[in-house]
Amino acid sequence: MSPRSSQVSKRRLLQFAGSLFIVELIRPLSKVSASLIVNQDRPYWRFCNKCYVMFYTDANSNSCAAGGTHVPQGYEFRLPFGSPETSTAQQNWRCCKKCQAMFFNGYSGKGRCPAGGSHVADNTFLYVLPHDVPGTPTAQTDWRFCNKCQAMFYDGYPEKGRCAAGGSHVAQGYNFVVLPHSR
């Protein structure tokens, strides 16, 4: 055996190192795209331009904290449901039967509902919402949990919308990515 045959050539070493670099570069991207893959989703979710919450539009009642009913604006979202919770997707999100807002149902207190009292969970669809991953052209960031009313609201404007618990919404916790949406 020649001494050269047991050594790795510089060219082979660079090819190997380049392959490792590409794998390490792609790995985080594949985790992000995997977190945005949805097996099941439900359409008809919209942003209310009065109170800024995410609400379900295909329903008869939809009380708004800013008075009257929600006013849809912008994209129509399709929210994922029925998946297990992961490090970048939180479960326990539900549609409120009374106001149609998306709210977090993971605490014993259910938050203030603009239709009166607390939110009441519709457990037909068990939503699992992605968070803390980059947005895409069809996945909008800046959706947040309000720690006063427990609804999902859009936090991308300087104003924070009208909260059913009084005043403006207050963002807490994860930065949710709502997906996919119409363009």
Side-chain angles (χ1 to χ4, degrees):
M1 177 183 242
S2 74
R4 187 164 174 92
S5 64
S6 65
Q7 296 177 348
V8 176
S9 71
K10 288 181 186 176
R11 180 178 182 177
R12 183 72 181 127
L13 182 61
L14 287 174
Q15 286 174 334
F16 178 72
S19 298
L20 283 178
F21 174 76
I22 290 170
V23 166
E24 291 304 310
L25 182 66
I26 292 173
R27 183 173 296 153
L29 295 175
S30 64
K31 286 181 182 177
V32 167
S33 9
S35 68
L36 294 178
I37 293 172
V38 176
N39 293 329
Q40 301 179 81
D41 59 34
R42 184 180 188 204
Y44 309 119
W45 288 93
R46 301 288 298 273
F47 162 79
C48 174
N49 72 6
K50 295 184 343 185
C51 69
Y52 291 23
V53 301
M54 173 71 64
F55 77 102
Y56 184 62
T57 61
D58 198 26
N60 294 330
S61 64
N62 64 11
S63 299
C64 178
T69 59
H70 295 297
V71 176
Q73 181 177 323
Y75 302 124
E76 179 182 293
F77 296 96
R78 302 180 66 90
L79 300 185
F81 65 91
S83 303
E85 185 170 68
T86 68
S87 62
T88 58
Q90 185 181 46
Q91 62 184 8
N92 291 321
W93 287 92
R94 303 290 185 276
C95 179
C96 175
K97 289 181 181 182
K98 298 189 310 183
C99 70
Q100 304 307 310
M102 176 63 64
F103 82 101
F104 186 68
N105 193 43
Y107 298 126
S108 57
K110 302 305 174 191
R112 175 68 63 92
C113 178
S118 298
H119 292 292
V120 175
D122 176 344
N123 289 313
T124 307
F125 295 92
L126 309 178
Y127 295 96
V128 181
L129 303 181
H131 60 81
D132 299 319
V133 295
T136 70
T138 59
Q140 186 180 51
T141 60
D142 297 322
W143 286 93
R144 303 292 300 273
F145 165 78
C146 174
N147 70 5
K148 294 176 7 180
C149 69
Q150 297 186 15
M152 172 76 64
F153 79 100
Y154 185 67
D155 192 34
Y157 296 124
E159 306 81 28
K160 302 305 173 193
R162 176 72 59 85
C163 179
S168 298
H169 294 290
V170 176
Q172 183 175 332
Y174 300 126
N175 183 352
F176 290 90
V177 179
V178 182
L179 73 148
H181 62 70
S182 59
R183 293 200 30 89

